[in-house]
Amino acid sequence: KVEMKVDINCGKCKNAIMQAVAEIEGVNQVVLDEEKSLLTVVGTMDPICVAEKLRKIKQTDHKGLKLQNQLRKA
């Protein structure tokens, strides 16, 4: 289980995050709590892959996405 702080300012960003993270090998569940700005990813995936995927999303079309450099493996 991996938890990351993310600030989302638009629905487009939320959809991009959910779709991109769900495509990572080993991901079983993706939960995005907008109130707490917390992305929870459950599975056997590499946490670094999750962070890299989010960074790529931010660099493309989603300037409203803010990553808070807090990667926590629970």
Side-chain angles (χ1 to χ4, degrees):
K1 178 176 169 182
V2 176
E3 295 178 338
M4 290 189 74
K5 286 284 214 175
V6 293
D7 287 333
I8 301 169
N9 296 328
C10 68
K12 186 177 175 184
C13 292
K14 177 183 176 182
N15 291 338
I17 289 171
M18 297 296 281
Q19 184 176 6
V21 174
E23 292 173 355
I24 298 172
E25 185 177 333
V27 170
N28 296 329
Q29 181 182 14
V30 181
V31 178
L32 184 57
D33 185 339
E34 292 181 68
E35 286 183 17
K36 294 180 182 177
S37 298
L38 188 66
L39 173 69
T40 304
V41 185
V42 179
T44 59
M45 71 287 148
D46 182 0
I48 302 299
C49 290
V50 176
E52 287 175 353
K53 190 71 103 165
L54 291 175
R55 205 170 295 120
K56 285 180 185 177
I57 291 169
K58 184 178 187 293
Q59 289 173 350
T60 57
D61 223 10
H62 305 282
K63 304 299 182 195
L65 173 63
K66 294 178 185 161
L67 304 177
Q68 297 183 356
N69 292 335
Q70 292 182 350
L71 178 64
R72 188 174 90 199
K73 190 169 183 177

